[in-house]
Amino acid sequence: MDDRELAAQLRCPTGTDAAEVAGRMNEANRALNHKCIDLLQLAAAERILEIGPANGAFVADIVGAAEGIAYTGLDWSADMVAEAQRNNSRAVSSGAARFLRGSSDNLPFAEDHFDKILTIHTLYFWENPARHLAEIRRTLKPHGRFCIAFGDREFMQQLPFVPFGFRLYHDTAGQQLLRESGFEVLDCQQHRETDVSNTGEVVEKLINIALCQPE
Ligand SMILES: C[S@@+](CC[C@H](N)C(=O)[O-])C[C@H]1O[C@@H](n2cnc3c(N)ncnc32)[C@H](O)[C@@H]1O
């Protein structure tokens, strides 16, 4: 797969390459996903929304974090929604998890619906991030928490697939975007990791993890 194709798959995993790309993302992003889940301090009976869970590799960690968690995963890739449903069939049939196809700039949920919302490695693909963040804020409860993780511009711009449609942010630009969208940034951590990237090469990763609440 060339860099342009890989970029398109990371944006929206589709077709025969989708399962392989998702498997690689799961390996590359495992530690980061676990860190974000921990930061959210999930509690019993909370409603959780994840935007862009891909094949749902970490859903068991979310629904297993506390009693009675109700998880919704929303992804704009139909193939990822189908694979996430297959990978989490037990959680789906018990009613603990559901997967929907959609985009976070038009969330099919009522106001103040979720206790916690998370999204990891998705911001780059949002043409109008303010519109996505406004929807996230609308559907998050007033005392809810939102966790967003994105690779820092400095790190991301070294990756060969990034010129093909990724929008990049420094931590300060990301935080400013969040504030302008009505979030208070409670914490912004820098997650550093030496690990394989989606190209299979070992890289020094620098990922920003912002934990927010509605202002
Ligand atoms: C690069 S992958 C990251 C997957 C996973 N979160 C991880 O940490 O490995 C991006 C995923 O988010 C989905 N996605 C990106 N932006 C989205 C949005 N605004 N609404 C719904 N799905 C989105 C894509 O289809 C893809 O499955």
Side-chain angles (χ1 to χ4, degrees):
M1 195 182 310
D2 67 23
D3 292 332
R4 187 184 291 273
E5 288 165 341
L6 178 56
Q9 285 292 336
L10 294 171
R11 169 182 290 271
C12 184
T14 306
T16 47
D17 292 328
E20 187 196 328
V21 169
R24 270 202 243 157
M25 286 194 296
N26 297 158
E27 285 312 309
N29 303 331
R30 183 172 305 279
L32 176 64
N33 274 261
H34 287 152
K35 195 162 186 174
C36 293
I37 295 166
D38 285 351
L39 265 178
L40 281 170
Q41 299 188 319
L42 304 178
E46 285 187 333
R47 285 193 196 134
I48 314 299
L49 171 65
E50 182 173 15
I51 296 157
N55 66 354
F58 308 108
V59 174
D61 300 296
I62 293 176
V63 296
E67 278 296 303
I69 282 187
Y71 171 93
T72 301
L74 182 105
D75 203 292
W76 59 29
S77 159
D79 288 346
M80 286 299 100
V81 170
E83 200 182 323
Q85 280 167 335
R86 279 193 297 275
N87 291 344
N88 295 281
S89 55
R90 202 180 290 178
V92 170
S93 47
S94 74
R98 63 177 172 164
F99 297 92
L100 306 174
R101 186 182 186 193
S103 171
S104 54
D105 61 357
N106 185 17
L107 292 173
F109 311 112
E111 278 174 30
D112 304 343
H113 188 72
F114 292 102
D115 297 283
K116 311 264 165 82
I117 301 181
L118 75 156
T119 192
I120 299 168
H121 286 317
T122 52
L123 176 63
Y124 332 107
F125 310 116
W126 301 354
E127 209 166 297
N128 183 344
R131 202 178 297 164
H132 293 259
L133 292 168
E135 278 291 89
I136 291 166
R137 194 184 182 290
R138 181 183 68 77
T139 54
L140 186 61
K141 291 182 181 176
H143 297 289
R145 292 284 186 274
F146 171 47
C147 180
I148 181 166
F150 57 96
D152 195 84
R153 185 183 185 94
E154 291 300 316
F155 150 59
M156 292 292 290
Q157 62 195 9
Q158 307 161 25
L159 302 174
F161 51 82
V162 156
F164 301 102
F166 282 58
R167 287 178 178 74
L168 300 182
Y169 302 86
H170 282 300
D171 62 339
T172 46
Q175 287 190 52
Q176 190 180 335
L177 194 57
L178 289 161
R179 288 198 199 91
E180 287 167 359
S181 303
F183 287 101
E184 179 187 352
V185 181
L186 301 171
D187 183 26
C188 191
Q189 298 191 7
Q190 299 210 307
H191 172 81
R192 290 173 194 273
E193 199 181 339
T194 305
D195 194 14
V196 285
S197 95
N198 290 298
T199 58
E201 281 164 41
V202 174
V203 289
E204 296 275 334
K205 298 181 186 176
L206 173 56
I207 317 283
N208 301 304
I209 308 176
L211 183 67
C212 314
Q213 70 177 13
E215 236 171 19

